Amino acid sequence: MKKIPYRTCIAMMVLWTAAFNYCLRSFFPVTLIAMLDRNKTVHLDNGSVSVRMPPDYGPKFHWTTFQECQLIGAYFYGFCLTSIPGGPIAEHFGPYWTVLVSTLIGAVITQLSVFVVMESWVPLFVCRLLVGMSGGVQYPSLQVLIGAWAPPSEKGIFTSCLMGNVLGTVITQAIVGYLVSTMSWSWGFYFTGIAALIFILSWSLLVSDYPEQSWFCSEEEATYVHNSHEGSVTAGQSKPPILKILTSIPFISSVIGQFGVLWGLYLVLTVVPKFMAEVLQFDLKKVGFLTSTPSMSRMVLGFFFGGIGDFLIRKELVKKVYVRKGFITFSHFLPGTVMFLYSIVGENAYVAVTLLVTMMGFNGASVVTTLVNPQDLAPNYAGTQCGIIDFFGSMSGFIIPAMVGEITKNKSELPEWAIVFVVTGIIYITTGLVFILFGSVHLQPWNEKAETTTGSTS
């Protein structure tokens, strides 16, 4: 029986880290629905007035639509602030300590958030901002970890593990939707604390920055991984060539391409719960479950596309450049086309959900297009690249709620939301075109480390 390589465990920890990162961000939009006072005045046909009372999920707060959108966007303000320094931090201190410390900080602040909630929305906004800052360093850290552990022929499937963000969203929103609806909104926060404890213990035991440093990775496997990189990955610390990265046309194209991916992802994460509750009229239990279904389709098809892409490259059936750019059809063009259909679907709630599921499923192909591209360009600085990409891409996390708040401030019905979805379609298609025209899969000259010092072990 063939022994399962230890790097499989590392891949699973990449998946789990991405899942918990999204746990800390995706529980909040569902929880927030239960925190808001949503009494609605309904004018009946006989001329009388009825007040529709929402279920009792705990203390209610009279926050405005603007304040609601700012609370959702707060995480992403913080995320942007630490995304760019997150790459150099992970490359200097190593992904092991960067993820461990940032997770602990984010989890503790999330638990403290329950005790600072008051009629003023500002204390909660500050807490969510700080949690976002703790999360901003983690995706660059995972790119550094993938660069060290994944042989080139396996980077597609390793990158697919970043779809753990989908798993985190699916599980979190389903569980939180149930806990909040049966107990109180505070359990949305408590759930993350329990999940954090389990994750931190597992990460501490199982992960190391390099195969050579692992307690569990065999010397044979560590040698195989090292040799497979053919000198493209160098252990040690070095200052990233920021100017060369920022002026690289292939990298700029990767930033733009991934912006389209993240726009679609954050649309589902930040405002789709609101769309399902207000427009499609689903109750909170269904909102938690139905919001998770588009994300689930993205994860399942992400692993499918990742496996297909790696197979085509490993067997040399298709050149890498054709895989990266050809699959843009699935990751960008088809999702964009699906979004345009919202202008003609009418009021059918289940058709609307099906379109979201289809859009996110196709978008799973991003694991072999823009998401893995930093590993092609410069694996030594994949963390720095990812941090810059996340800085710009995560802006959509606060742009989208603000845009939706403005579009729906007077009326929140399907015609207003169709505008939101059409804008998303335009962004998908234009960013995909940029990547096809200007993107690259070739190792860049600035991947070389000018000087290195021995990195610390985990």
Side-chain angles (χ1 to χ4, degrees):
M1 181 176 178
K2 187 177 180 180
K3 182 181 178 181
I4 298 175
Y6 187 71
R7 60 185 180 276
T8 302
C9 178
I10 298 298
M12 290 301 98
M13 289 306 299
V14 169
L15 184 143
W16 195 357
T17 307
F20 186 72
N21 181 282
Y22 269 66
C23 172
L24 285 178
R25 66 176 90 180
S26 65
F27 87 91
F28 188 71
V30 175
T31 304
L32 184 61
I33 293 172
M35 298 173 70
L36 296 172
D37 188 347
R38 293 183 177 274
N39 292 344
K40 287 188 176 181
T41 301
V42 179
H43 296 275
L44 304 178
D45 292 340
N46 60 9
S48 61
V49 176
S50 172
V51 178
R52 183 183 300 164
M53 299 291 292
D56 182 13
Y57 301 126
K60 301 285 186 182
F61 302 95
H62 300 275
W63 295 325
T64 65
T65 300
F66 170 80
Q67 292 166 348
E68 175 189 354
C69 292
Q70 289 303 305
L71 285 170
I72 293 174
Y75 180 98
F76 298 96
Y77 292 128
F79 193 92
C80 283
L81 288 174
T82 55
S83 287
I84 289 181
I89 288 172
E91 288 159 359
H92 182 80
F93 293 104
Y96 176 87
W97 284 109
T98 306
V99 170
L100 187 65
V101 173
S102 62
T103 299
L104 182 61
I105 292 172
V108 169
I109 295 174
T110 298
Q111 300 312 297
L112 293 176
S113 301
V114 178
F115 304 101
V116 305
V117 174
M118 56 184 69
E119 196 59 40
S120 171
W121 61 284
V122 175
L124 183 57
F125 175 89
V126 172
C127 285
R128 292 301 295 165
L129 179 76
L130 294 174
V131 173
M133 291 178 68
S134 73
V137 302
Q138 293 186 354
Y139 265 74
S141 298
L142 294 181
Q143 287 282 5
V144 175
L145 193 67
I146 290 172
W149 278 87
S153 63
E154 298 175 12
K155 285 190 174 179
I157 201 68
F158 258 81
T159 305
S160 299
C161 292
L162 294 174
M163 290 292 174
N165 57 16
V166 172
L167 186 64
T169 302
V170 169
I171 294 175
T172 299
Q173 292 189 334
I175 293 178
V176 167
Y178 176 79
L179 290 175
V180 168
S181 62
T182 55
M183 301 174 77
S184 73
W185 56 257
S186 60
W187 275 92
F189 293 86
Y190 297 150
F191 167 76
T192 64
I194 298 170
L197 180 61
I198 299 171
F199 171 78
I200 288 172
L201 290 174
S202 301
W203 179 272
S204 301
L205 290 172
L206 300 175
V207 176
S208 63
D209 291 337
Y210 294 96
E212 297 85 351
Q213 300 171 350
S214 174
W215 296 346
F216 307 106
C217 181
S218 68
E219 183 178 347
E220 179 185 5
E221 182 180 357
T223 301
Y224 167 74
V225 173
H226 176 79
N227 292 340
S228 72
H229 291 147
E230 298 179 341
S232 64
V233 177
T234 308
Q237 300 165 354
S238 176
K239 292 181 180 179
I242 296 294
L243 183 60
K244 291 180 179 180
I245 293 174
L246 292 177
T247 54
S248 166
I249 296 300
F251 174 69
I252 293 172
S253 305
S254 189
V255 171
I256 294 172
Q258 186 63 6
F259 180 86
V261 171
L262 291 176
W263 181 282
L265 179 61
Y266 291 151
L267 175 83
V268 172
L269 184 67
T270 59
V271 299
V272 163
K274 177 182 174 73
F275 171 67
M276 290 186 174
E278 295 184 357
V279 179
L280 304 185
Q281 298 293 307
F282 290 120
D283 63 35
L284 196 56
K285 286 183 182 179
K286 286 186 177 179
V287 166
F289 172 74
L290 290 173
T291 302
S292 70
T293 51
S295 299
M296 180 61 81
S297 69
R298 184 175 188 256
M299 183 183 72
V300 172
L301 288 181
F303 278 103
F304 170 77
F305 286 123
I308 292 294
D310 277 353
F311 175 80
L312 293 175
I313 294 170
R314 184 170 59 251
K315 297 295 184 180
E316 298 182 350
L317 298 174
V318 180
K319 288 184 177 180
K320 184 191 291 186
V321 64
Y322 297 134
V323 172
R324 297 284 183 262
K325 295 188 176 185
F327 276 72
I328 286 289
T329 300
F330 297 101
S331 65
H332 287 71
F333 295 159
L334 288 177
T337 302
V338 168
M339 289 292 94
F340 289 131
L341 297 179
Y342 273 97
S343 60
I344 60 173
V345 295
E347 300 291 336
N348 191 311
Y350 291 97
V351 171
V353 173
T354 299
L355 289 178
L356 283 172
V357 172
T358 303
M359 179 268 285
M360 291 298 286
F362 284 135
N363 182 248
S366 61
V367 300
V368 291
T369 59
T370 56
L371 192 56
V372 74
N373 194 231
Q375 299 288 342
D376 298 326
L377 300 179
N380 275 328
Y381 299 109
T384 297
Q385 293 176 77
C386 181
I388 298 169
I389 288 170
D390 281 349
F391 172 78
F392 291 103
S394 295
M395 289 181 180
S396 58
F398 53 81
I399 293 173
I400 292 171
M403 179 184 74
V404 169
E406 183 65 26
I407 292 173
T408 63
K409 64 181 180 181
N410 296 321
K411 189 168 63 171
S412 181
E413 296 179 357
L414 196 57
E416 288 72 40
W417 282 88
I419 297 172
V420 176
F421 295 129
V422 167
V423 168
T424 299
I426 293 171
I427 289 173
Y428 262 132
I429 291 173
T430 53
T431 55
L433 281 172
V434 169
F435 184 77
I436 285 179
L437 293 174
F438 302 106
S440 174
V441 301
H442 300 299
L443 191 69
Q444 300 299 296
W446 40 268
N447 178 62
E448 297 298 323
K449 290 187 175 182
E451 56 183 70
T452 61
T453 58
T454 302
S456 59
T457 64
S458 56

